[in-house]
Amino acid sequence: MTRSQTAPDFALYRFPHRHLLGIDGLSISEINSLLDLADAYVAQNRQHDKKSDVLRGRTLINLFFENSTRTQASFELAGKRLGGDVMNMSVSSSSIKKGETMIDTAMTLNAMHPDVLVVRHPDAGAVKLLSEKVTGAVINAGDGRHEHPTQALLDALTIRRRRGRLDNMTVAICGDILHSRVARSNIYLLTTMGARVRVVAPRTLMPAGIERFGVDVFHDMRAGLTDCDIVMMLRLQTERMRGTFVPSTREYFHFFGLDREKLSYAKPDAFVMHPGPMNRGVEIDSDIADDINRSVIRDQVEMGVAVRMACLDLLTRGATVN
Amino acid sequence: MTKRTAFVNARLLDPASDLDMTGGLLAEDGKITDFGPDLFKDGVPDVDQLVQCDGLCLAPGLIDMRVQVREPGEEHKETIESASHAAAAGGVTAMVCLPNTEPVIDDISVVEFVARRAREIKMVKLYCYGALTRGMEGEQITEMGLLADSGALGFTDGIKALTDPLVMRRALSYARTFGLLVIQHPEDPDMVDDGVMNEGELASRLGLPGIPAVAEVMMVERDLRLLSLTGGRYHASHLSTAASINAVRRAKFDGLDVTCDTAPHYFALNENAVSDYRTFAKVSPPLRSEQDRNAVVEGLKDGTIDAIASDHAPHDQDSKRLPFVQAECGIIGLETLLPLTLELYHNGHLTLLEALGKVTAAPASILRLPSGRINRGAPADLLLFDPNRPWTIDEEKFRSKSNNSPFHDRPVQGMAVRTFVEGRTIYTAV
């Protein structure tokens, strides 16, 4: 009944990987394949009939060992719009003995023959470990502070659709770089695609050796934002912090929170991104977050579904081809 | 009735006396009674055991001064028996276990238990350290005098640093009363925090919390200050950083009675071994940068680092097949100690005698053991080995109950051919 959509021509896209575990290591053409296909899905998602049958008969399991509302919803919708069967599983990692549960859960689910497992886990590397134990494709929906590849892809798609390109864009990633998987995936993706990346944070929130990631390092917001095209704000991840990294949210907002005055140092047409959920008044002023002329936060959410459809599409079709 | 073993046509190697010559050796009732180039010139006397060495090296058996045997308490990971078989196959004739068992070795009854188990198994010599503080809780010093009388070779809180400076001062001071050795796992736990690997670019890329290299030298330098106050004998375990090796180098120059060791993984690997979240290379202290690895080699060369210990830390699959942050720290090492130590010789960093000395004469001298040398009257704890024989480390072939080694598949040179404790063969390579 709802197979009216014609799926994009698969032959145009190249993604020769079994899993999507991170951006690190992907080539320009692979990233472009994902973004091009996602672009096509944006169009599909804006039509009255949003459904296709690319994933018909396929099973997608969202396996979340860490709480998530938006990412899980986005993957669920992506799977359903492609006609797949989607199941959500949330495993509270605190209540059970952690690691054994993860492998055990993976093995149990694997016996149910899922075609795709979308996995989020609080520990870096856990999704890769899980991918070694299952037969289907695995998409990393965030592992500790390591990577969150679909977030970087949706951010890239947002930028590309706004500016028509990624190369030579100057992107300032600001805030809690240390604890952020979003920052790492974005740094890998944007530097691969030829963008100039700046990171801006107090020294306590900067990962060791960050200067060797091919980025310019700033500890002052105004200097870091000067003449940049895009300002990417990160959430202050207090739940991942042990001890004090910043003295107070008041002081943090004063020096590193994005307000109109600091944003004025960026290019006049610079826009603001945030992976959500936002801490208003901590890293971003509500005034900017809600300004539809400057903030593209809602675009990012829309691109998220399209990007995840593209990932599901390429990984499942890749499995058929292989 | 005297039990006699004759070793003929051996290349006798003794690091303690700088001996390297072809000859024979006679052991009687477990002790070396004679050796020399002309010993069996007029034929081999009537013996119980005749060992044709065919020109292979005959050296003191290795003394591994830092081993976790997991018994009592975690026998699913290793037992005194399985560790003894692993040791024998690795050419180790004596090993010293850490007190971090369950129960903790902080009472003479546990020291006696370990000794009794070793007597029953009758393989390699097994010694232990006593806990430095009761329950290794870092508060109250143990009955060091009594524990030493019952056989404890030194005192340490195992894989935990003794952090309280006042307790450390008293421990050093009290130990000095009896001339006892205090051994530290030098790592400031507050600086380690939730870190799981060396801090730096790689940790940041992997998204893993890092441990700064200074966490080690901060503890070493503090302890050395205390040692200059109290006097006594202090030993820093498994040094892994350039800075802490420098600190020990200076302290030795200043005349403090300090010794230290390192483990093979700190000169044979660097932090890159944990790329891809390889938990088998997760160890405490963590594998460090290439500069630090080079500093460990330099420290071994100039003698700052006295000894090499395997830091054998067996773990079962369930403790290692986990996300990196959850996995246990540790590498097994009894069966790889010899070839990895010999890499220092094959790579031209140390002479054969120098390399052997790090695992024989040096630990014997630190621990004041009578073995570890070829000497008339010394125990006939001997190792017959081929320093050049190439082989590939294979986790399937470990005698240890656990196989958590990052050295699986590594091509190495040098193999134990036959191991003897008090003249008795406890291992023969097939």
Side-chain angles (χ1 to χ4, degrees), chain A residues 70 151 154-155 158 162 231 233 271-278 280 284-286 288-292 294-304:
Chain A
R70 52 190 69 216
Q151 178 70 41
L154 75 88
D155 288 339
T158 307
R162 286 253 160 181
V231 183
M233 297 307 297
F271 60 85
V272 178
M273 307 176 77
H274 193 298
M278 284 182 282
R280 290 165 185 267
I284 190 164
D285 197 357
S286 282
I288 290 179
D290 299 332
D291 181 349
I292 54 163
R294 304 308 295 268
S295 159
V296 298
I297 293 165
R298 271 170 284 179
D299 284 20
Q300 289 173 273
V301 177
E302 182 189 357
M303 296 308 127

Side-chain angles (χ1 to χ4, degrees), chain A residues 99 123 145-146 184 208 242, chain B residues 193 201 204-205 207 277 325-326:
Chain A
D123 294 330
R145 42 172 105 163
H146 176 227
R184 283 169 179 75
R242 286 163 54 107
Chain B
D193 194 29
E201 182 192 356
S204 294
R205 285 189 184 277
Y277 304 97
V325 299
Q326 294 178 31

Side-chain angles (χ1 to χ4, degrees), chain A residues 217-272:
Chain A
V217 181
F218 292 84
H219 303 293
D220 177 88
M221 276 291 268
R222 292 173 185 86
L225 294 194
T226 298
D227 294 329
C228 73
D229 296 284
I230 293 122
V231 183
M232 201 177 266
M233 297 307 297
L234 298 173
R235 197 167 59 83
L236 196 62
Q237 290 185 273
T238 44
E239 76 280 7
R240 286 186 205 282
M241 291 183 188
R242 286 163 54 107
T244 310
F245 287 80
V246 291
S248 70
T249 53
R250 181 175 79 160
E251 172 147 331
Y252 184 75
F253 183 74
H254 180 75
F255 291 102
F256 294 96
L258 186 67
D259 56 20
R260 216 162 271 285
E261 191 271 328
K262 294 193 193 89
L263 183 57
S264 71
Y265 287 81
K267 282 185 182 165
D269 63 344
F271 60 85
V272 178

Side-chain angles (χ1 to χ4, degrees), chain A residues 167-179:
Chain A
D167 57 302
N168 291 321
M169 291 283 112
T170 300
V171 184
I173 305 176
C174 310
D176 188 356
I177 313 285
L178 178 66
H179 297 100

Side-chain angles (χ1 to χ4, degrees), chain B residues 156-206:
Chain B
T156 176
D157 277 353
I159 61 171
K160 280 171 75 179
L162 178 54
T163 53
D164 187 318
L166 190 55
V167 178
M168 188 53 149
R169 176 190 176 172
R170 299 231 168 96
L172 283 164
S173 189
Y174 188 76
R176 190 183 173 193
T177 313
F178 303 101
L180 302 175
L181 181 67
V182 170
I183 299 165
Q184 174 75 298
H185 167 97
E187 203 177 30
D188 184 327
D190 289 326
M191 291 301 294
V192 172
D193 194 29
D194 61 348
V196 294
M197 69 170 286
N198 189 43
E199 181 174 288
E201 182 192 356
L202 183 62
S204 294
R205 285 189 184 277
L206 292 170

Side-chain angles (χ1 to χ4, degrees), chain B residues 99-260:
Chain B
N100 62 332
T101 44
E102 177 56 51
V104 170
I105 307 179
D106 61 358
D107 188 277
I108 51 173
S109 63
V110 194
V111 177
E112 282 164 0
F113 167 82
V114 171
R116 178 170 60 78
R117 290 288 291 130
R119 276 197 308 276
E120 286 165 6
I121 293 157
K122 219 168 177 286
M123 290 276 292
V124 302
K125 288 179 176 163
L126 177 66
Y127 302 97
C128 69
Y129 298 121
L132 193 49
T133 62
R134 282 177 200 264
M136 304 187 306
E137 283 167 0
E139 285 161 15
Q140 241 189 312
I141 55 175
T142 52
E143 298 169 321
M144 291 188 215
L146 291 174
L147 287 162
D149 278 354
S150 65
L153 289 187
F155 295 87
T156 176
D157 277 353
I159 61 171
K160 280 171 75 179
L162 178 54
T163 53
D164 187 318
L166 190 55
V167 178
M168 188 53 149
R169 176 190 176 172
R170 299 231 168 96
L172 283 164
S173 189
Y174 188 76
R176 190 183 173 193
T177 313
F178 303 101
L180 302 175
L181 181 67
V182 170
I183 299 165
Q184 174 75 298
H185 167 97
E187 203 177 30
D188 184 327
D190 289 326
M191 291 301 294
V192 172
D193 194 29
D194 61 348
V196 294
M197 69 170 286
N198 189 43
E199 181 174 288
E201 182 192 356
L202 183 62
S204 294
R205 285 189 184 277
L206 292 170
L208 293 171
I211 300 170
V214 296
E216 183 170 287
V217 69
M218 284 170 69
M219 190 59 79
V220 169
E221 285 188 330
R222 186 213 61 178
D223 286 349
L224 292 171
R225 295 275 172 177
L226 290 172
L227 187 67
S228 68
L229 180 68
T230 60
R233 301 165 60 214
Y234 171 81
H235 179 87
S237 294
H238 49 52
L239 291 190
S240 67
T241 68
S244 57
I245 294 163
N246 271 330
V248 170
R249 188 176 284 127
R250 278 196 308 275
K252 285 186 166 184
F253 181 80
D254 292 343
L256 292 182
D257 195 351
V258 55
T259 52
C260 66

Side-chain angles (χ1 to χ4, degrees), chain A residues 112-129:
Chain A
M112 301 176 191
H113 302 292
D115 299 280
V116 186
L117 276 168
V118 174
V119 186
R120 171 171 286 191
H121 197 282
D123 294 330
V127 180
K128 178 186 175 287
L129 179 64

